[in-house]
Amino acid sequence: MRDIYVIGTGITSFTRLEYPLAEIAAYPAVAALRDAGIDKVDHIYVSNMGGGRVNHQTGLASAVVDHLSMFPVGAETIENGPASGASAIKTAAMAIGSGMFETVLVTGAERMNEVNALDATDFVASLSHPLAEAIYGVTLPSLAGMFARLYMHKYGVTERHLAMVAIKNHANACLNQFAHVQTKITMEGILDGKEAATNNPPIALPLRFFDVCPVSDGGAAVILASAEVAKDVAKKTGKPLVKLAGFGQATDTHAVHEREDPTSLTAVKIAAANAFKMAKLAPKDVSVAELHDAFTILEIAESEEVGFFERGKGHLALERGETQIGGKLPINTSGGLKARGHAVGATGVAQAHEIILQLRGEAGKRQVKDAKVGFTCNFGGFGNNVVCLAFVRE
Amino acid sequence: MRDIYVIGTGITSFTRLEYPLAEIAAYPAVAALRDAGIDKVDHIYVSNMGGGRVNHQTGLASAVVDHLSMFPVGAETIENGPASGASAIKTAAMAIGSGMFETVLVTGAERMNEVNALDATDFVASLSHPLAEAIYGVTLPSLAGMFARLYMHKYGVTERHLAMVAIKNHANACLNQFAHVQTKITMEGILDGKEAATNNPPIALPLRFFDVCPVSDGGAAVILASAEVAKDVAKKTGKPLVKLAGFGQATDTHAVHEREDPTSLTAVKIAAANAFKMAKLAPKDVSVAELHDAFTILEIAESEEVGFFERGKGHLALERGETQIGGKLPINTSGGLKARGHAVGATGVAQAHEIILQLRGEAGKRQVKDAKVGFTCNFGGFGNNVVCLAFVRE
């Protein structure tokens, strides 16, 4: 397959957005086109999970072409639950890799503010096994709660470690103007202090309010291109070349209880290994990573499964500050799903957006020094379909 | 891009199916695997439109991997409204074309029986422009009715011509054991006779009951492969090699009233031209075609836009019997959407399935003699995102 580069990127605020879903997809696309200094692409992929269910909008990809007035360019929507974004980027990479297209726009969007919290949870529960899980009231937070309980018991992870993930990611989000929750939190405020129990009520114990990502509206876009186009664009914009050096994907059983070890995220392990193999890189080469911290425990578990830390030791690296900005391997500099926000179909693209800014040296106050290799892990369902991406600044 | 072949195909009955959506996708996949004589593939694309809305099932692609026990193979759902099926086939072709994969399974599925007719119409209306059409009660049948009225006025097409499409496609469906409506209909029964008004009530005049496709449940699958794998499979199975020689896609304005000429299906014209160009073929080379006759008028209009007949002359070719089995260019030998049925996300794949059977000489009583080149037109929204495929028997 020929080499694939990123030539443009854009994002909306992750927050409550008052404009329609197709516009949430179109605005970051316009920002990405402007970033690349181009006004059209050969193809468009839209990543979205809830258009049909939540927004009475199907055929979203066609609506986005209409909003961008880019007829007769072809377009499809790619859905892989919360991993839709990275799936769309991977699909776009192969479309360019095949030689059919020189430039492909990927734009991810979700608009959840039309549903209340209960409906949002029910909607997301449509990812779990309909006959073995969802029908019994198993939601994604409840799966995460059970996973956390087992994991903590097995590896000595405590509620304090979970809180450290939240505190770190909220601090990072305070440096990101597009983040949903730009609020500093402290151990005193969410675990130790007098007000902690009120501030941080249980959601699915041991997970509390500050262990769970918000339900966000938002959009993010990247434009991929062939080497020839990318070099041309780089010459005009003066921006560093960022290569999508590898991608990997893996699936696992739909029902979590069918896994041999329910604390193993096997799909994360395989997807990451595939991405590193394709990129001819190892976990130790990574300068900055965005992991799928829909629940705080997942950042710790994924940081081990992708190979950054030994199994069961991720919380110790966190404790030592290695995953903070300024640490050896900063994780979720954007604020992560936890605080940048989780606009489901946009999330994987937003992860890539953050990595591209970091590799180009455009991440402002949250810039990781000399970031050269970036990595994303986008986690679908409860780990039953995972897509990892590896980016390199050339 | 390297050459792409079809090595396996399968289908379910298009009817009311009492098993879950993921099984509707898995069963034809198993049939296609058996047809190819293989038990795994490198990747899976699922085409579906309504899982999230109608069946409380998102992440359908991951569920299908689970049903097929094909871990850790990657999978995504592709949505492009009623053109999801052909979009997924096109995406799979590029994935193989890129060299990433040798075999990709495409399985399309829809399960609509959970919603009543009103909800089904509302669901499909989520394809129309939310602010310019859907909000005013414009449904897909109403768009088709307005299109038919203009088209008939402009080109002298009558209700009898529309009925001829229905009569032909019902007759074809009677030769297809998987078709939804295996009922012979006559001009007497639906237009001329005493019972005609009762049998064939208005839906969106000039379109009547027998001008509109049924709402079907169903699934269909094809497996694409590289030339190397395909030649190996053909040696083992003894089946003729069928090549996916070309694909083309085009978009058009979301709101139909924004088109310069609302009787022009510009996206059909461009998508077909692109597919023929890529395949190095012309419309006159086609032996058999499946066109997207969700409404009878569309078969006539598409037969012109793809280049089979001159603009405004399609109904005359129909009248002369040229599009019947035994005619110069049989159209919708499967029964088409009109009578084979329209299980939205599966439809484009079912069209390909029919063409593959025809090119292999496996279409039984509806076999087109010496079929060598087959063509499909899969129509998304009201013609705002169209995908055409060209297949050749080698």
Side-chain angles (χ1 to χ4, degrees):
Chain A
M1 205 177 91
R2 61 183 180 153
D3 290 344
I4 311 296
Y5 288 84
V6 183
I7 59 168
T9 189
I11 199 163
T12 69
S13 284
F14 275 40
T15 177
R16 288 285 164 265
L17 296 175
E18 296 309 323
Y19 41 93
L21 179 62
E23 291 183 30
I24 297 178
Y27 290 166
V30 170
L33 288 161
R34 193 172 296 154
D35 183 43
I38 62 176
D39 58 9
K40 58 179 184 178
V41 292
D42 296 338
H43 196 79
I44 297 176
Y45 289 114
V46 176
S47 58
N48 170 258
M49 177 175 159
R53 164 75 187 274
V54 180
N55 315 103
H56 198 266
Q57 167 92 67
T58 58
L60 175 62
S62 317
V64 171
V65 173
D66 188 82
H67 275 276
L68 297 173
S69 284
M70 227 186 262
F71 317 112
V73 157
E76 278 94 16
T77 301
I78 307 276
E79 192 263 331
N80 177 17
S84 297
S87 269
I89 291 174
K90 191 205 76 177
T91 307
M94 290 190 290
I96 295 172
S98 76
M100 274 301 291
F101 303 125
E102 294 301 308
T103 52
V104 178
L105 165 70
V106 176
T107 186
E110 207 74 55
R111 180 183 149 104
M112 297 285 281
N113 77 53
E114 274 152 308
V115 292
N116 62 31
L118 198 65
D119 285 341
T121 301
D122 179 64
F123 165 58
V124 176
S126 63
L127 286 163
S128 62
H129 196 296
L131 303 175
E133 294 175 333
I135 202 173
Y136 300 109
V138 174
T139 62
L140 272 281
S142 73
L143 285 170
M146 291 188 277
F147 177 86
R149 184 76 82 193
L150 272 172
Y151 210 89
M152 290 160 78
H153 176 73
K154 198 165 175 181
Y155 297 113
V157 176
T158 67
E159 286 198 351
R160 298 188 80 76
H161 294 110
L162 303 185
M164 283 176 210
V165 172
I167 292 166
K168 168 177 74 68
N169 292 354
H170 277 247
N172 292 351
C174 289
L175 307 174
N176 180 357
Q177 60 168 313
F178 295 106
H180 194 165
V181 193
Q182 299 177 44
T183 315
K184 191 185 167 189
I185 54 173
T186 61
M187 202 58 89
E188 171 77 10
I190 67 170
L191 222 54
D192 293 343
K194 278 185 193 159
E195 308 283 326
T198 316
N199 290 342
N200 198 15
I203 298 289
L205 283 174
L207 301 178
R208 296 176 174 276
F209 183 79
F210 281 103
D211 293 306
V212 180
C213 67
V215 175
S216 314
D217 305 338
V222 298
I223 302 171
L224 303 185
S226 63
E228 200 183 334
V229 170
K231 280 165 191 169
D232 203 43
V233 166
K235 227 177 272 173
K236 284 179 196 154
T237 62
K239 293 183 181 182
L241 272 174
V242 174
K243 185 173 172 178
L244 172 55
F247 51 82
Q249 183 176 19
T251 48
D252 200 348
T253 64
H254 199 180
V256 175
H257 70 261
E258 288 186 346
R259 299 177 193 166
E260 203 167 333
D261 173 1
T263 63
S264 283
L265 298 173
T266 307
V268 173
K269 195 186 194 100
I270 300 173
N274 288 345
F276 282 124
K277 189 179 169 191
M278 180 173 171
K280 299 192 178 69
L281 290 168
K284 66 172 173 45
D285 299 322
V286 174
S287 327
V288 56
E290 291 279 306
L291 303 182
H292 195 105
D293 59 333
F295 307 100
T296 48
I297 186 68
L298 287 181
E299 180 178 306
I300 296 172
E302 289 170 22
S303 72
E304 300 162 6
E305 295 285 19
V306 305
F308 295 152
F309 309 112
E310 259 181 72
R311 186 71 192 269
K313 309 278 187 186
H315 65 295
L316 302 176
L318 170 75
E319 210 173 64
R320 289 192 299 267
E322 292 182 18
T323 59
Q324 292 171 13
I325 295 171
K328 271 159 65 175
L329 173 47
I331 292 175
N332 288 326
T333 54
S334 69
L337 282 69
K338 179 67 205 75
R340 189 260 334 284
H342 185 20
V344 189
T347 288
V349 189
Q351 291 180 319
H353 173 80
E354 176 68 11
I355 293 300
I356 293 153
L357 294 188
Q358 289 285 357
L359 298 187
R360 282 186 184 167
E362 297 173 1
K365 288 184 181 168
R366 60 186 194 282
Q367 180 65 46
V368 171
K369 214 181 147 194
D370 294 330
K372 162 110 175 109
V373 174
F375 186 85
T376 67
C377 176
N378 198 192
F379 185 88
F382 197 81
N384 70 335
N385 199 333
V386 176
V387 182
C388 293
L389 306 174
F391 297 89
V392 177
R393 172 173 47 82
E394 292 206 329
Chain B
M1 203 176 89
R2 61 184 181 153
D3 289 345
I4 310 295
Y5 289 84
V6 182
I7 59 169
T9 189
I11 199 162
T12 68
S13 284
F14 274 41
T15 178
R16 288 287 165 264
L17 296 176
E18 296 309 323
Y19 42 93
L21 178 62
E23 292 184 29
I24 298 179
Y27 290 165
V30 170
L33 288 162
R34 192 172 296 154
D35 183 43
I38 62 176
D39 58 10
K40 58 178 184 176
V41 292
D42 296 337
H43 196 79
I44 297 176
Y45 289 114
V46 175
S47 57
N48 170 257
M49 178 174 157
R53 163 74 187 272
V54 179
N55 315 104
H56 198 265
Q57 167 93 67
T58 57
L60 176 60
S62 317
V64 171
V65 173
D66 188 81
H67 275 276
L68 297 172
S69 284
M70 225 186 263
F71 317 112
V73 156
E76 279 94 17
T77 302
I78 307 276
E79 191 262 333
N80 177 17
S84 298
S87 269
I89 291 173
K90 192 205 75 175
T91 307
M94 290 190 290
I96 295 171
S98 75
M100 273 302 291
F101 302 125
E102 293 302 306
T103 52
V104 178
L105 165 70
V106 176
T107 186
E110 207 74 55
R111 179 183 150 104
M112 297 285 282
N113 77 53
E114 274 151 309
V115 291
N116 61 33
L118 198 64
D119 286 341
T121 300
D122 179 65
F123 165 58
V124 176
S126 63
L127 285 163
S128 62
H129 197 297
L131 302 177
E133 293 175 335
I135 202 172
Y136 300 109
V138 174
T139 62
L140 272 282
S142 74
L143 284 171
M146 291 188 278
F147 177 87
R149 185 76 80 193
L150 272 172
Y151 209 90
M152 291 161 77
H153 175 74
K154 197 165 176 181
Y155 297 114
V157 176
T158 68
E159 286 198 351
R160 298 189 80 77
H161 293 110
L162 303 184
M164 283 175 209
V165 173
I167 293 166
K168 168 178 73 67
N169 292 354
H170 276 245
N172 292 350
C174 289
L175 307 174
N176 180 0
Q177 61 168 313
F178 295 105
H180 194 166
V181 192
Q182 299 176 45
T183 315
K184 191 185 166 186
I185 55 172
T186 62
M187 202 59 89
E188 172 76 9
I190 67 170
L191 222 56
D192 293 344
K194 279 184 194 162
E195 308 284 325
T198 316
N199 291 342
N200 198 15
I203 298 288
L205 282 173
L207 302 179
R208 295 175 175 276
F209 182 79
F210 281 103
D211 293 306
V212 180
C213 66
V215 175
S216 314
D217 305 337
V222 298
I223 301 171
L224 303 186
S226 63
E228 201 183 333
V229 170
K231 279 166 191 168
D232 202 43
V233 165
K235 230 177 269 173
K236 284 178 195 153
T237 62
K239 292 183 182 182
L241 272 173
V242 174
K243 185 173 171 177
L244 172 56
F247 50 82
Q249 182 176 19
T251 48
D252 200 349
T253 65
H254 199 180
V256 174
H257 70 261
E258 288 187 345
R259 299 177 193 165
E260 204 168 333
D261 174 0
T263 64
S264 283
L265 298 173
T266 307
V268 172
K269 195 185 195 101
I270 300 173
N274 288 345
F276 281 124
K277 189 180 169 192
M278 181 175 170
K280 298 190 178 75
L281 291 167
K284 66 171 175 41
D285 299 321
V286 174
S287 324
V288 56
E290 291 279 307
L291 302 182
H292 196 105
D293 59 332
F295 308 99
T296 48
I297 186 68
L298 286 182
E299 180 178 306
I300 296 171
E302 289 170 23
S303 73
E304 300 162 5
E305 296 285 20
V306 305
F308 294 152
F309 309 113
E310 259 181 73
R311 185 73 192 268
K313 309 278 186 186
H315 65 295
L316 303 175
L318 170 77
E319 209 173 66
R320 290 191 299 267
E322 292 180 20
T323 59
Q324 290 170 14
I325 295 171
K328 271 160 64 174
L329 173 46
I331 292 175
N332 288 327
T333 54
S334 70
L337 282 68
K338 179 66 206 77
R340 188 261 333 285
H342 185 19
V344 189
T347 288
V349 189
Q351 291 180 319
H353 173 81
E354 176 69 10
I355 293 300
I356 293 155
L357 294 187
Q358 289 286 358
L359 298 187
R360 282 187 185 166
E362 296 173 1
K365 288 183 181 168
R366 62 186 193 281
Q367 181 64 48
V368 172
K369 214 180 149 195
D370 294 329
K372 163 110 174 103
V373 175
F375 186 85
T376 67
C377 177
N378 198 190
F379 185 89
F382 197 81
N384 69 336
N385 199 335
V386 176
V387 183
C388 293
L389 307 174
F391 297 89
V392 177
R393 171 172 49 80
E394 291 207 330

